[in-house]
Amino acid sequence: VSTMFDAGVQPIRVVVGFKAADIQSRLLADFPMKPVVFVTKDSYQSTDTAASFVLGAGELKQPLLMIYADTMIAPSAMFQLLSDPRPNLLLVDKTRSYSLMDIKVTLDQDRVVGLSKGISVDAAHGESTCVYKLNASCARELSEECRRRQPDDRSSLWFETVLADLLPKVDLRALHCTSDEWCEIDQP
């Protein structure tokens, strides 16, 4: 969150579910004068990242930056992401070795054409950092598709599953980073 504020990203919308009050009080204490908007996801036990994306993106009519809560990003990568003129970007790490649990990426030049944990390690061109910059129309299209495919709060659907299915229509480009510019805090 501090990296986003330091880069001038604001307001920041945070989707909270498990221990929502603790997260809210911590962020408000750490950033008392910053614009933080909290959106509560009551269905956090039965839904996944597609529902979080819909809540976080809301009815925004501007570009958005999406970062998973368990992902930390270095200021250098944040600067690259925000200063790149391409409208739809995924930060991709090509420097690490991949495991079965990583969301892997396949590319056609710099265009993302595959995004899945199911991509074989040998076929992968990089690992998704789960850090996205999306223009308003792309975010709206993704949000509408997430809503269509998950009409209630009783089903699990991953944002990357929806995005992967839309890749033929969505011009998502890879922005390369190195493994020292990001980490997933719950993974080694």
Side-chain angles (χ1 to χ4, degrees):
V1 173
S2 61
T3 301
M4 288 188 286
F5 280 133
D6 290 346
V9 176
Q10 48 184 303
I12 294 178
R13 293 171 62 102
V14 180
V15 178
V16 294
F18 181 70
K19 296 198 175 194
D22 293 343
I23 294 167
Q24 288 173 335
S25 65
R26 176 62 190 260
L27 287 175
L28 291 173
D30 288 352
F31 306 101
M33 305 305 289
K34 298 290 188 178
V36 180
V37 177
F38 295 98
V39 181
T40 302
K41 179 180 167 184
D42 295 323
S43 61
Y44 68 89
Q45 291 181 310
S46 60
T47 60
D48 283 308
T49 56
S52 298
F53 178 77
V54 168
L55 290 171
E59 300 302 321
L60 291 177
K61 294 179 178 26
Q62 61 204 40
L64 67 86
L65 182 67
M66 183 176 93
I67 302 175
Y68 282 18
D70 64 352
T71 300
M72 294 178 60
I73 179 173
S76 59
M78 179 67 71
F79 176 77
Q80 266 190 287
L81 189 66
L82 294 174
S83 62
D84 192 299
R86 296 173 293 174
N88 300 309
L89 295 171
L90 168 60
L91 205 57
V92 174
D93 183 352
K94 293 176 75 173
T95 64
R96 292 181 8 157
S97 57
Y98 322 118
S99 75
L100 292 176
M101 293 307 296
D102 292 329
I103 299 172
K104 293 169 284 302
V105 174
T106 54
L107 304 172
D108 180 359
Q109 311 234 356
D110 72 337
R111 184 174 181 152
V112 178
V113 294
L115 180 68
S116 173
K117 289 183 178 183
I119 294 171
S120 74
V121 171
D122 293 335
H125 297 125
E127 178 183 353
S128 168
T129 63
C130 297
V131 176
Y132 301 89
K133 179 176 85 171
L134 304 172
N135 69 14
S137 63
C138 180
R140 190 172 34 261
E141 185 174 355
L142 283 163
S143 188
E144 289 169 2
E145 185 64 12
C146 287
R147 280 190 189 103
R148 187 186 72 71
R149 290 175 58 178
Q150 188 175 29
D152 59 48
D153 289 340
R154 296 183 307 265
S155 58
S156 176
L157 179 64
W158 291 94
F159 169 78
E160 282 78 14
T161 302
V162 176
L163 179 55
D165 291 346
L166 291 178
L167 284 175
K169 296 187 335 185
V170 172
D171 186 18
L172 182 66
R173 300 293 170 151
L175 177 64
H176 301 292
C177 69
T178 61
S179 58
D180 60 346
E181 292 181 296
W182 77 286
C183 71
E184 188 176 352
I185 61 175
D186 60 350
Q187 295 291 318

